[in-house]
Structure formats: structure tokens, C-alpha cells
Amino acid sequence: MAEQKSNWFREHSLFIVLFALFVVFLVGMAITGFEVYNEEQVEHGASPIGFLQYLTTGAFGEATFENWESEFLQMGAYVVLTIWLVQKGSSESKPIDEPMEQDKDPRTVDVGPRTPWPVRRGGFVLVLYENSLAILFFVLFFLSFALHAVTGAAAYSEEQAQHGLPGVTPWEYLGTAQFWFESMQNWQSEFLAVAAIVLGSVYLRQRGSPESKPVHAPNDETGA
């Protein structure tokens, strides 16, 4: 029994560690953001608020969702763009002019009991399933985008009120330069990071990582 438990953690260790790091940094962001928020409250002559109340503020929501939005946009765009676009020599690219197993039409393969149910079912279910990864990321992007607009409008309106100015609705907030500045300052960094690994993996290596080509592979060898 102990051996099975150890194997399960090993088999899922990448997700477990990544999710644990997400929780650690989210908690760290909440704690430090809470301190910054109360410092600003005192500077404006307002009373500090409790930690749980801070988690319901537009300031915390906006800081959270503007970052989630950019991450999901990056991953969704990367999943879709790598269907058609290539980078010679990159481990992040499909091989140039060579068919891959991922390109195969699932309607032409032999199905078995371990074949995913949507493939065996076919029809519209299969159409959704064969595009489900991109759909997931873009649904999460638009959800985060909407939550960014709602919480950002609340934070923006609170700041406006401190200066005796009227607040805005989420729809009105979408038309402000502030909203698009918050979004694009994250979007540009996400696509820069992806571009860096796409090009960097042409010439650089990391032994043991599936994101890298084998150390001995030629620079112009394309694909994993």
C-alpha cells in the first residue's frame, strides 16, 4: 500500500508541485497586498480593514485576475499557434513538413476500450473534444477577463471616490486606458517569455527536461 501511494505522488508530482507553488505565491501575494492596501488606506485618512475583508476588495481581485487573464491568453494562443506555425530548430515546435501523431484525424484510427469516450462516440462530441484544450484556456481567459473588468472597476471607483470623482461600471471600465494598461503590461511579458523559450531551445539545452532537445542534438533539429 505504501509503495502504491509513493508511485501515485511520483506520477502526479509535476502538477502537485506546480499547484503547491501557486498556492504559496497566491497566499504571499494576498498577505503583502493586504499590507500595502492598509498603508494606502491610512495615507488617505481611512481606517485599515481586516484580511478577510481585503480578499473581497476590488484591489485584490483586480491584481489576481489581470494576471490569470494573461496566463490563460498566453497558453491558449500558444496551443493554437503551434498547430500551424513552426520554428526551425526549436524543441517547442513541430517538425517542419513532417507529419506528427497529434495531426492524425481521430476518425481514422482503430478504437479500443482505453480510447477516450469522445473519440468512440464521434460526431459533435468529438469535434469539441479534439479542440477541448484550446477551448479550456480561452474559456478561462474570457472568465478572468470579465472578472478583471468587474474587480478592476471596483478598485478604480474606490480610487476615484478618494479624489471626489464618480465611479465607473465594469463596462465603462473596459473603455479606460487603465484597464488596457493593466492587461497589456502582462500580455507583453507572457508572449516575450514564450518567444524566449521557443528561440532559446534552438541553441540552448537543459539535460533531463522535456522542454529541451537532447544535449547532443544539432541546433537545426526541430521538435522534441
Side-chain angles (χ1 to χ4, degrees):
M1 183 66 69
E3 183 180 352
Q4 292 180 347
K5 183 177 181 181
S6 175
N7 287 340
W8 186 90
F9 277 105
R10 175 169 172 74
E11 290 169 357
H12 301 86
S13 58
L14 182 58
F15 172 78
I16 292 170
V17 170
L18 288 173
F19 191 78
L21 288 171
F22 158 72
V23 173
V24 167
F25 292 129
L26 180 63
V27 171
M29 185 190 90
I31 293 172
T32 53
F34 167 65
E35 294 178 358
V36 170
Y37 183 85
N38 274 337
E39 287 174 3
E40 293 178 348
Q41 288 287 97
V42 172
E43 288 175 1
H44 289 90
S47 300
I49 63 174
F51 181 70
L52 293 181
Q53 185 179 354
Y54 167 70
L55 297 181
T56 67
T57 63
F60 176 73
E62 182 273 324
T64 302
F65 296 123
E66 74 170 74
N67 283 283
W68 290 12
E69 161 199 308
S70 63
E71 299 293 344
F72 293 132
L73 174 63
Q74 173 212 66
M75 295 306 299
Y78 191 56
V79 167
V80 172
L81 290 175
T82 51
I83 298 173
W84 300 287
L85 304 181
V86 296
Q87 172 58 54
K88 183 177 180 180
S90 177
S91 64
E92 296 293 311
S93 170
K94 293 197 294 187
I96 300 172
D97 298 327
E98 292 181 23
M100 289 190 66
E101 192 69 18
Q102 290 91 332
D103 296 323
K104 186 177 293 185
D105 188 338
R107 297 159 188 80
T108 65
V109 303
D110 296 328
V111 300
R114 297 182 67 243
T115 304
W117 174 80
V119 180
R120 290 183 276 123
R121 175 68 174 79
F124 182 66
V125 173
L126 176 54
V127 173
L128 287 177
Y129 184 67
E130 64 186 350
N131 296 286
S132 56
L133 186 59
I135 290 172
L136 169 67
F137 283 122
F138 284 117
V139 167
L140 291 172
F141 163 69
F142 285 115
L143 180 60
S144 300
F145 187 88
L147 290 171
H148 173 197
V150 171
T151 57
Y156 186 80
S157 295
E158 181 179 344
E159 185 175 343
Q160 290 286 92
Q162 291 172 347
H163 296 86
L165 299 172
V168 296
T169 66
W171 186 253
E172 291 171 334
Y173 188 57
L174 286 172
T176 65
Q178 178 69 23
F179 175 83
W180 292 104
F181 170 72
E182 291 167 352
S183 292
M184 292 187 186
Q185 69 174 335
N186 288 296
W187 295 1
Q188 56 86 20
S189 63
E190 299 299 339
F191 285 100
L192 175 62
V194 173
I197 192 171
V198 167
L199 190 61
S201 65
V202 176
Y203 305 103
L204 307 177
R205 309 285 188 270
Q206 179 56 59
R207 183 179 176 186
S209 174
E211 298 303 311
S212 167
K213 292 186 294 186
V215 177
H216 59 273
N219 286 342
D220 61 354
E221 183 176 298
T222 306

